[in-house]
Amino acid sequence: QVQLVESGGGLVQAGDSLRLSCAASGRTDSNYVMGWFRQTPGKEREFVAAIPWSGGAVVTDSVKGRFTISRDNAKNTVYLQMNSLQPEDTAVYYCAARSRSSIGTSSMQYNYWGQGTQVTVSS
């Protein structure tokens, strides 16, 4: 079992930056892919970015160049640096872990989820 706890969400203005953090605990000795998804009311959970244990991140096209995912394996923590935020980035952001070494972009491919953190971007 892996437990995930996100932090760092909040209310910002368009153009601002935020950094989300996700701390993993439990069985973190395994080679997990860590990812971020986001969800707005009435919509499916959307892939944002993911990174394997050894690096080689994947970021969805809609945030490429603005969002960066990274991880500190020694701290069992994954980060999502979000720059140039826009109102359409408003969502609940979820951290996820996948007990495979290959990246998945579907929420169904992830085994563990955090509780989510709200990001609201005002225009």
Side-chain angles (χ1 to χ4, degrees):
Q1 288 285 346
V2 175
Q3 293 79 44
L4 304 173
V5 178
E6 304 102 332
S7 60
L11 171 63
V12 298
Q13 294 187 332
D16 286 350
S17 298
L18 275 177
R19 189 176 81 156
L20 305 182
S21 299
C22 173
S25 61
R27 193 176 173 182
T28 55
D29 57 321
S30 299
N31 190 358
Y32 287 99
V33 169
M34 301 296 294
W36 288 97
F37 286 75
R38 64 187 182 184
Q39 190 170 26
T40 54
K43 293 190 176 181
E44 293 188 357
R45 203 162 288 190
E46 172 191 25
F47 173 78
V48 177
I51 184 168
W53 180 270
S54 57
V58 172
V59 179
T60 195
D61 286 346
S62 63
V63 305
K64 198 168 290 184
R66 299 189 298 121
F67 290 13
T68 303
I69 187 172
S70 61
R71 65 189 291 171
D72 184 335
N73 292 330
K75 295 182 178 180
N76 293 320
T77 300
V78 63
Y79 305 97
L80 185 67
Q81 177 66 43
M82 305 185 293
N83 298 328
S84 301
L85 282 161
Q86 299 301 315
E88 53 265 33
D89 296 316
T90 295
V92 177
Y93 283 72
Y94 293 91
C95 176
R98 166 174 161 83
S99 55
R100 295 288 188 274
S101 59
S102 59
I103 285 179
T105 58
S106 167
S107 61
M108 297 182 66
Q109 296 174 299
Y110 287 76
N111 309 87
Y112 304 102
W113 292 88
Q115 80 286 354
T117 185
Q118 177 70 47
V119 172
T120 303
V121 185
S122 64
S123 57

